[in-house]
Amino acid sequence: MMRVTNSMISRNSMKNMNNNKINVDTLNTQMTTQKKIDRPSDDPIIAIRALRLRSNLNELNQYYERNIPDAQSWLEITEGALKNMEAILENIYVKCVDGSTDVKTQEDRAAILKDLQSLRKQVYAEGNADCAGRSVFTGYKTNSQLTFLKDDKDITYQITEPVSYEDIEEKRYYSNLVTVPNTPGEVQPGAPGEGVDINDMPKEHVFKRVRLSYEGMETMNANDIKIIDANGTASNLNNFMFSTENGDALATVTTNLSYADWEKNGFPIGDSEVIFFKETGELVFGENIATYVNSQKSQLNVTYTKQGFNEGEIRPEHYFDCTNVTDKDNPINYVKENQEIKFTVAFKQELTVNTQASDVLDASIGRDVDELTNAVQAAIAAHDKVDKLKAMKEEQQYSDENSQKALAQWIEAAEKEAVYADDNMQKIYARGVTKFQNYKDRVKLARTDLGSRENRLQLTENRMSNQQSTFEQLKSRNEDMELSDIIIEYTAAYNAYQASLQASAKANGQTLLNYL
């Protein structure tokens, strides 16, 4: 039979009390933290699962609380800008419909002109919208505005602009325009006034032309216009051999003729000639070369240098391959490319948040508005000439027979100019109806695409919200304990601890002699 000593009883009592005390301390810690474990060694399986769930939850919170709201802000700002763009283009479209009607008074023309001048300033302004200091329409170049915010006469770009046979359109040019005489001497038959000879009526010249995105170019070389065949091979348009109905012809490119000299000479152009005017940014085509480019559905690349840009003009790097050569020793090259900005909005899910200006706003919109404005101004000026000449005819100083006869011829010439101006205005505005309808359609398409992305983001946000709740529940189920359950266990453990103290006190109070 084994002998039980006092020291053995004491050690066993102490061990059992300590175990009870540890159990009470563990439950007390759980009751305070409401967590199942205090350190990984308490339960490695719970610890590993907790790390995995917390990592996933942190990643999900990044998507739900930061990435998705940032993407929503970007899309909402873009949506507002596109909505304003569509409204502006709609206003211009309405003006085109109005301007294309037959009958217009001077008051009508003045009203159209005033509206167009105000809308012109807003055409690209909406493209400068930004989200938290980042431009939303400029691709990766979020620190750059879409347009020049002020006149910059020193900055210089070399630009390569692609144009298509689809860009070729009719343009009407007018010679022998009337200049209203200022003195009775200028009115007399044969007087050497600065105006149109009274026997020489205004003339209309119709040519095919391509208008580039800028005017006021600095330079262009005749070999800087490339024609591209179906295989993508580029050749110089200058000295390009092409086929006509009457046999082969050699294209020639003229770049050193000023617009003023061309107008002064009566707008001459060869059938196989292309004339570039840096003042107006136009390529005017002779009949044969225009027919060939259209029949072959040809593409062209035009390279030119432009120094100085006006407030509101688009920055070339957002639309074209170009080089900023302001500092000739340190040129900056830009290549036009697709620049999608993507936000990660869920696990392995990205969403494109930006809309690029070149996909929404055509580079020609501003110049189209300028042409509409110029057509109205020409019509207003032509009718003003008629009114002034008719008023002169009623004045006493022009009452003699010769002056009356001469003024009648001036009036006839001015009225013909006014008819041309009205007809040109009507045709330009009628063409503008189609153009601005297409511009509106591009913006509508962009808004539709943007709306679909917003819907996808909303669905993702809802899914992330549900996943966040699910992960929170899993995390809580893995780590947390119910306070009521802990209190019950703690109470039982504490009572056991107290009982062990009392039992140990009684047991240790007895000696071996008490058992004998």
Side-chain angles (χ1 to χ4, degrees):
M1 181 176 178
M2 181 179 177
R3 179 174 174 269
V4 178
T5 65
N6 286 346
S7 62
M8 291 174 62
I9 295 172
S10 177
R11 282 196 302 270
N12 286 336
S13 297
M14 290 290 291
K15 180 181 178 181
N16 292 331
M17 283 189 297
N18 192 56
N19 288 337
N20 287 334
K21 188 175 182 181
I22 290 172
N23 192 31
V24 169
D25 179 64
T26 299
L27 291 171
N28 181 64
T29 301
Q30 289 179 346
M31 185 168 59
T32 303
T33 62
Q34 298 184 36
K35 300 293 182 182
K36 291 181 180 179
I37 61 175
D38 185 42
R39 58 181 65 86
S41 59
D42 293 343
D43 192 327
I45 294 177
I46 291 178
I48 292 172
R49 189 177 298 161
L51 289 173
R52 186 180 297 117
L53 288 172
R54 288 189 181 195
S55 176
N56 290 339
L57 187 59
N58 287 338
E59 187 177 357
L60 191 149
N61 288 339
Q62 171 70 29
Y63 301 143
Y64 184 69
E65 297 174 4
R66 297 191 63 180
N67 293 19
I68 290 178
D70 284 351
Q72 284 176 330
S73 298
W74 193 298
L75 294 176
E76 287 171 1
I77 290 172
T78 304
E79 168 66 20
L82 291 177
K83 184 178 179 181
N84 292 339
M85 289 177 192
E86 187 175 353
I88 293 169
L89 293 174
E90 174 66 26
N91 285 339
I92 299 175
Y93 171 79
V94 171
K95 297 298 178 294
C96 289
V97 173
D98 186 27
S100 63
T101 59
D102 292 332
V103 180
K104 280 285 171 288
T105 66
Q106 284 291 75
E107 290 74 15
D108 295 333
R109 299 184 187 95
I112 293 175
L113 178 61
K114 183 177 180 181
D115 289 339
L116 284 176
Q117 287 173 333
S118 62
L119 291 171
R120 172 65 176 87
K121 298 178 181 179
Q122 293 296 323
V123 172
Y124 296 108
E126 292 298 332
N128 291 325
D130 68 89
C131 177
R134 298 171 296 175
S135 295
V136 299
F137 289 107
T138 56
Y140 299 152
K141 297 180 281 295
T142 57
N143 62 337
S144 173
Q145 297 294 318
L146 178 65
T147 68
F148 289 91
L149 300 182
K150 61 181 181 180
D151 293 350
D152 191 335
K153 301 304 181 184
D154 296 323
I155 192 168
T156 304
Y157 281 85
Q158 186 179 69
I159 303 166
T160 298
E161 181 172 348
V163 295
S164 166
Y165 71 96
E166 296 175 327
D167 298 318
I168 296 178
E169 59 186 3
E170 278 191 351
K171 173 71 182 298
R172 288 165 173 76
Y173 302 87
Y174 299 95
S175 60
N176 299 334
L177 298 181
V178 173
T179 299
V180 177
N182 296 314
T183 64
E186 293 179 7
V187 174
Q188 298 300 319
E194 295 181 358
V196 176
D197 189 310
I198 59 176
N199 294 314
D200 192 0
M201 293 295 169
K203 295 178 182 178
E204 182 179 68
H205 311 267
V206 182
F207 300 115
K208 299 294 179 62
R209 68 92 191 256
V210 167
R211 187 196 60 211
L212 302 177
S213 296
Y214 300 97
E215 61 184 359
M217 282 74 160
E218 190 72 14
T219 59
M220 176 191 281
N221 187 284
N223 292 326
D224 285 338
I225 304 176
K226 308 291 185 183
I227 185 167
I228 304 169
D229 62 22
N231 297 321
T233 303
S235 305
N236 292 337
L237 185 60
N238 190 37
N239 298 323
F240 177 75
M241 187 68 70
F242 65 98
S243 300
T244 71
E245 292 182 354
N246 300 319
D248 291 341
L250 193 66
T252 59
V253 176
T254 301
T255 61
N256 57 359
L257 179 63
S258 72
Y259 186 84
D261 288 341
W262 189 52
E263 180 181 24
K264 183 179 179 181
N265 294 329
F267 303 104
I269 185 171
D271 288 340
S272 302
E273 185 179 14
V274 177
I275 307 177
F276 169 72
F277 296 105
K278 62 183 181 181
E279 301 95 328
T280 62
E282 290 178 298
L283 292 170
V284 181
F285 290 78
E287 185 63 31
N288 287 343
I289 188 66
T291 301
Y292 174 82
V293 170
N294 267 317
S295 64
Q296 298 300 311
K297 298 183 183 302
S298 300
Q299 306 293 320
L300 302 174
N301 272 346
V302 183
T303 301
Y304 54 88
T305 301
K306 177 172 172 58
Q307 179 177 1
F309 292 81
N310 298 323
E311 177 185 351
E313 285 191 297
I314 58 173
R315 300 187 69 93
E317 60 264 32
H318 302 310
Y319 282 83
F320 310 114
D321 292 344
C322 60
T323 304
N324 185 333
V325 293
T326 307
D327 183 354
K328 295 182 179 179
D329 295 329
N330 298 288
I332 304 172
N333 294 315
Y334 298 97
V335 177
K336 182 67 181 74
E337 59 183 349
N338 186 33
Q339 298 181 346
E340 294 184 347
I341 298 176
K342 297 184 177 182
F343 282 15
T344 303
V345 294
F347 299 104
K348 296 182 180 180
Q349 180 180 340
E350 293 182 333
L351 180 74
T352 300
V353 297
N354 70 316
T355 300
Q356 297 176 74
S358 56
D359 296 332
V360 181
L361 289 176
D362 195 285
S364 297
I365 292 177
R367 298 209 66 190
D368 280 330
V369 176
D370 289 339
E371 286 207 344
L372 295 173
T373 302
N374 293 338
V376 180
Q377 289 175 327
I380 291 174
H383 284 275
D384 281 343
K385 292 177 183 179
V386 174
D387 294 339
K388 289 179 181 178
L389 288 167
K390 287 182 177 180
M392 289 171 61
K393 196 174 181 182
E394 301 299 323
E395 293 178 11
Q396 182 64 32
Q397 60 179 330
Y398 301 109
S399 61
D400 61 279
E401 182 179 353
N402 287 338
S403 295
Q404 289 291 301
K405 183 178 179 180
L407 283 172
Q409 291 176 317
W410 281 88
I411 292 171
E412 183 181 357
E415 287 178 337
K416 186 170 185 178
E417 179 182 334
V419 170
Y420 279 143
D422 284 343
D423 180 63
N424 185 53
M425 174 181 165
Q426 183 182 354
K427 285 183 169 61
I428 289 178
Y429 275 73
R431 191 166 61 218
V433 171
T434 302
K435 284 187 174 183
F436 281 91
Q437 181 62 56
N438 292 335
Y439 295 150
K440 284 197 307 174
D441 290 343
R442 286 182 65 176
V443 176
K444 286 181 179 179
L445 182 62
R447 289 189 67 185
T448 301
D449 175 66
L450 186 70
S452 67
R453 284 183 275 153
E454 287 178 319
N455 289 337
R456 286 172 52 199
L457 185 62
Q458 184 64 50
L459 293 173
T460 302
E461 182 183 25
N462 294 338
R463 178 161 55 85
M464 289 294 100
S465 177
N466 293 333
Q467 286 186 357
Q468 189 182 48
S469 299
T470 300
F471 274 93
E472 289 283 3
Q473 290 174 0
L474 290 173
K475 176 176 171 292
S476 177
R477 195 178 301 158
N478 181 65
E479 300 178 19
D480 299 341
M481 295 188 67
E482 287 289 337
L483 184 59
S484 58
D485 293 340
I486 301 175
I487 291 175
I488 293 173
E489 292 183 24
Y490 174 80
T491 301
Y494 185 77
N495 289 336
Y497 174 61
Q498 292 295 328
S500 68
L501 288 177
Q502 293 176 8
S504 297
K506 290 182 180 181
N508 289 327
Q510 302 293 324
T511 65
L512 181 61
L513 292 174
N514 294 126
Y515 293 101
L516 299 175

